[in-house]
Amino acid sequence: MSDLARSPKQIGSIIRRARKKRGLSQMDLSERTGLRQGTISLIETGNPAARIETLLAILAALDLDFRIGAREAGTSSADDLEDLLR
């Protein structure tokens, strides 16, 4: 699985899809990560205040990697900033 995410909402959607693909409930993921179920819910709905450590714990529990790469030509960082400020 390789998805591109440029906003908290997109990250949340990817996490939700990966969780459901593995047949896990939010509570199951909560137990695997030691996080509250409410925290999982907030992240999946795109809460922009999520800590990087929290995201990394969730990704690890779902056997996903966090990768950083160069942006492709023609993408606008201004659009991404707008998404973050919404």
Side-chain angles (χ1 to χ4, degrees), residues 9-52:
K9 189 171 184 172
Q10 291 172 337
I11 292 169
S13 292
I14 292 168
I15 288 171
R16 181 183 313 107
R17 280 195 313 267
R19 175 182 58 77
K20 288 183 175 185
K21 182 178 180 180
R22 287 159 178 76
L24 299 172
S25 68
Q26 286 183 347
M27 191 54 120
D28 294 332
L29 187 54
S30 170
E31 290 170 2
R32 285 185 177 201
T33 60
L35 300 168
R36 294 180 319 104
Q37 178 273 327
T39 300
I40 304 294
S41 177
L42 285 172
I43 289 170
E44 287 187 358
T45 56
N47 185 324
R51 293 177 43 192
I52 191 72

